[in-house]
């Protein structure tokens, strides 16, 4: 039976589209996107999902307490029997209630090499700090900001003439590939969590020296 993915988005949904493309092409095998959910009316990602024939749901968050809104989203995901939740530009912190409903079943992708530059405007943070390399990180979501166990990372060199926009474009290209790899691993179930790392099951355990 195909694993069912629920995608949460707030904006354009480019990572959602990358996941949808990978599912359609078999790069994420035995999987389907069961529903795309947005907290914002008019999010372009929802229009893109509808154009693909994927079920969508808009649950506006404005005026609602965080858990109050999360309970509505969780109800939708449970109704669609979702196995894995993927955040794709979802601009909300999840409540403890949400996390507890999907333990180790929520992934997020962040445009930096965490733990460096969490939160908003990660590329601007990287440029202001003067780093020579940045990248992106797929991690499990816990109750803290950009802080759950890391599943995968990709490195992107910072060029001397970069702006936040040019750097973001190169990071985004890596995000699309990395998210597919991470989702494929997590849905396979062939991984283990050691401390703050999610490790592929076939990877050898480190030996003390």
């Amino acid at each position: 039976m195909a694993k069912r993915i629920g995608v949460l988005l707030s904006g354009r949904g480019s990572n959602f589209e990358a996941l949808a493309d990978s599912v359609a092409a078999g790069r994420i095998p035995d999987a389907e996107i069961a529903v795309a959910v947005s907290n914002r009316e008019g999010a372009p990602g929802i229009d893109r999902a509808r154009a693909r024939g994927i079920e969508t749901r808009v649950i506006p968050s404005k005026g609602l307490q965080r858990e109050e809104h999360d309970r509505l989203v969780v109800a939708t995901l449970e109704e669609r029997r979702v196995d894995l939740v993927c955040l794709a530009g979802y601009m909300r912190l999840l409540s403890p209630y949400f996390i507890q409903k999907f333990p180790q079943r929520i992934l997020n992708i962040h445009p930096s090499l965490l733990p460096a530059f969490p939160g908003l405007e990660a590329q601007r943070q990287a440029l202001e700090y003067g780093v020579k390399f940045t990248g992106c990180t797929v991690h499990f979501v816990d109750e803290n900001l950009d802080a759950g166990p890391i599943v995968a990372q990709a490195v992107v060199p910072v060029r001397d003439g970069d702006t936040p926009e040019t750097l973001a474009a190169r990071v985004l290209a890596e995000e699309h590939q990395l998210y597919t790899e991470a989702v494929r691993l997590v849905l396979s179930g062939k991984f283990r969590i050691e401390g703050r790392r999610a490790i592929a099951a076939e990877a050898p355990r480190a030996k003390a020296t």
Side-chain angles (χ1 to χ4, degrees):
M1 182 180 295
K3 296 289 188 179
R4 297 170 63 82
I5 301 169
V7 179
L8 307 187
L9 57 89
S10 297
R12 61 187 176 180
S14 68
N15 271 307
F16 154 73
E17 285 209 291
L19 290 177
D21 286 344
S22 290
V23 168
R27 292 188 293 271
I28 302 176
D30 302 318
E32 63 179 313
I33 297 181
V35 65
V37 180
S38 178
N39 66 305
R40 289 182 52 232
E41 296 278 4
I46 288 295
D47 293 334
R48 293 175 178 181
R50 288 171 180 153
R52 290 172 176 266
I54 292 171
E55 184 173 355
T56 63
R57 183 79 182 274
V58 176
I59 305 174
S61 55
K62 188 174 182 179
L64 298 179
Q65 296 293 325
R66 181 159 40 133
E67 184 174 319
E68 183 181 7
H69 180 260
D70 280 359
R71 284 181 178 273
L72 298 176
V73 176
V74 165
T76 293
L77 297 173
E78 290 182 333
E79 180 183 317
R80 273 63 174 187
R81 307 186 309 283
V82 164
D83 299 293
L84 180 68
V85 180
C86 293
L87 310 188
Y90 190 60
M91 305 305 290
R92 288 181 62 80
L93 287 174
L94 301 183
S95 65
Y97 171 83
F98 199 131
I99 304 299
Q100 291 163 9
K101 286 292 185 176
F102 293 92
Q104 293 183 7
R105 291 194 292 147
I106 308 171
L107 290 179
N108 182 47
I109 188 158
H110 181 75
S112 77
L113 295 175
L114 292 173
F117 315 128
L120 299 176
E121 298 189 339
Q123 294 88 1
R124 185 177 300 279
Q125 291 184 63
L127 291 174
E128 290 176 351
Y129 202 86
V131 297
K132 300 301 183 182
F133 295 90
T134 186
C136 50
T137 303
V138 179
H139 63 95
F140 284 107
V141 176
D142 62 16
E143 295 173 13
N144 300 305
L145 175 65
D146 297 329
I150 289 172
V151 179
Q153 291 183 306
V155 176
V156 175
V158 178
R159 298 172 182 167
D160 289 341
D162 264 330
T163 65
E165 292 75 23
T166 61
L167 182 55
R170 295 204 313 285
V171 170
L172 187 62
E174 293 295 330
E175 288 181 39
H176 293 167
Q177 297 184 42
L178 190 71
Y179 217 171
T180 289
E181 295 169 11
V183 169
R184 183 170 61 237
L185 173 63
V186 171
L187 285 181
S188 76
K190 297 178 180 178
F191 70 95
R192 63 184 186 272
I193 293 179
E194 292 185 2
R196 293 197 36 77
R197 294 187 298 164
I199 303 173
E202 60 269 20
R205 291 179 180 271
K207 295 182 179 180
T209 58

